[in-house]
Amino acid sequence: MTASTPRGVFITFEGGEGAGKSTQVARLARTLGAHRTVTTTREPGGSTRAEEIRTALLAGVAKPYGPFAEALLFSAARIDHLDRLIRPALASGEVVLCDRFMDSTRAYQGAAGGLDAEAVAALERVVVGPTRPDLTLIFDLDPEIGLARARARAAGQEAQGAQAAPDRFEAEALAFHARLRDAFRAIAQAEPARCVLVDAARDPDAVADAVRAAVAARLPGLLDDTEGRTDAA
Ligand code: T5A
């Protein structure tokens, strides 16, 4: 990177099922895209090979092997995603908005899935290394509301003839989703310099306002050229 190349910015969106992350990734991308090159991506996935692993993971292929094996597969997908998409985009000075990243492994396979925190931390060290998010927005929502949103979306998709059965993690018991919420809140509390907790129970416009406020506070200058623009669909 030369002195004149703008530094890349890495923002991750985390939280439970149906919390509204994808909706807000798209909205923030529209806002920032007015003056910065923005790459939107997701985990698991984001690269061709990682999307193949996603399909297997969400179908529950690795579930019988337990949370450590699942964490290894999420990590394999993350390695490819980092190497092929995230690191090159950041090196080019782009803004990378990623729907889920390392905190989902901490919460889903670690806190809620029962995988030892030391094992999760060791994986994170070797897989993520120094490519840690500049900002992580943690969408906080009662899991019953999030799952209801996901079910309502699935009903709409089924009405249009698509198959929309709950995936491997949506199908977990409510107690699992309650542990997830606690885990994400604990991450936000433990790493306040990186994380901002966003109240995701409000309507999409109010959540978008909270996202913009967090970006303005934590990444001064990133939104400056977009003042007065709307990101509404
Ligand atoms: N996983 C992932 C792990 O276990 N370990 C890992 O390391 C990683 C990276 C991924 C699964 O993999 C797990 C976690 C996940 O279970 P996914 O399909 O990508 O699977 O799952 P989610 O990220 O949970 O995706 P969702 O689409 O279900 O949730 P979002 O993105 O939070 O929600 P969104 O924006 O799609 O919105 C859901 C519905 O609600 C509406 C939307 O229109 C949509 O219909 N909505 C709102 N409704 C009311 N008010 C609002 N503010 C709303 N915002 C959106």
Side-chain angles (χ1 to χ4, degrees), residues 93-142:
E94 296 179 17
V95 179
V96 177
L97 306 182
C98 190
D99 191 343
R100 295 195 182 281
F101 191 59
M102 63 186 196
D103 296 305
S104 285
T105 308
R106 291 190 197 179
Y108 279 76
Q109 283 66 55
L115 179 60
D116 178 59
E118 274 302 309
V120 175
L123 277 176
E124 201 174 291
R125 273 196 301 278
V126 293
V127 172
V128 176
T131 315
R132 299 172 70 77
D134 297 295
L135 172 64
T136 296
L137 300 160
I138 295 187
F139 284 55
D140 182 50
L141 183 65
D142 180 334

Side-chain angles (χ1 to χ4, degrees), residues 16-233:
E17 306 291 320
K21 302 176 299 298
S22 315
T23 302
Q24 298 299 332
V25 165
R27 292 186 68 148
L28 185 60
R30 281 198 293 276
T31 301
L32 296 174
H35 71 114
R36 289 287 295 256
T37 303
V38 179
T39 291
T40 61
T41 187
R42 68 174 180 182
E43 288 210 346
S47 64
T48 304
R49 288 177 192 145
E51 288 290 333
E52 288 170 5
I53 297 173
R54 175 190 175 91
T55 302
L57 279 165
L58 297 196
V61 170
K63 184 180 178 186
Y65 299 91
F68 187 41
E70 286 193 310
L72 291 176
L73 277 175
F74 279 109
S75 297
R78 187 163 298 141
I79 287 167
D80 198 65
H81 187 206
L82 279 161
D83 284 349
R84 290 175 182 275
L85 190 140
I86 295 175
R87 288 184 181 125
L90 292 174
S92 301
E94 296 179 17
V95 179
V96 177
L97 306 182
C98 190
D99 191 343
R100 295 195 182 281
F101 191 59
M102 63 186 196
D103 296 305
S104 285
T105 308
R106 291 190 197 179
Y108 279 76
Q109 283 66 55
L115 179 60
D116 178 59
E118 274 302 309
V120 175
L123 277 176
E124 201 174 291
R125 273 196 301 278
V126 293
V127 172
V128 176
T131 315
R132 299 172 70 77
D134 297 295
L135 172 64
T136 296
L137 300 160
I138 295 187
F139 284 55
D140 182 50
L141 183 65
D142 180 334
E144 289 197 67
I145 297 174
L147 290 167
R149 286 182 187 171
R151 277 195 299 275
R153 182 184 51 195
Q157 289 167 345
E158 279 178 352
Q160 293 178 340
Q163 281 199 329
D167 68 33
R168 184 253 172 274
F169 296 101
E170 284 170 358
E172 284 283 355
L174 194 57
F176 178 91
H177 295 285
R179 289 201 298 279
L180 279 178
R181 185 187 195 185
D182 290 345
F184 279 119
R185 292 171 72 106
I187 291 168
Q189 202 168 21
E191 293 190 54
R194 173 173 67 89
C195 302
V196 174
L197 200 67
V198 174
D199 177 0
R202 293 169 294 177
D203 64 78
D205 286 345
V207 177
D209 287 346
V211 166
R212 275 198 303 273
V215 171
R218 298 302 181 90
L219 301 167
L222 193 60
L223 282 167
D224 283 357
D225 294 346
T226 65
E227 270 177 23
R229 292 177 197 272
T230 174
D231 65 356

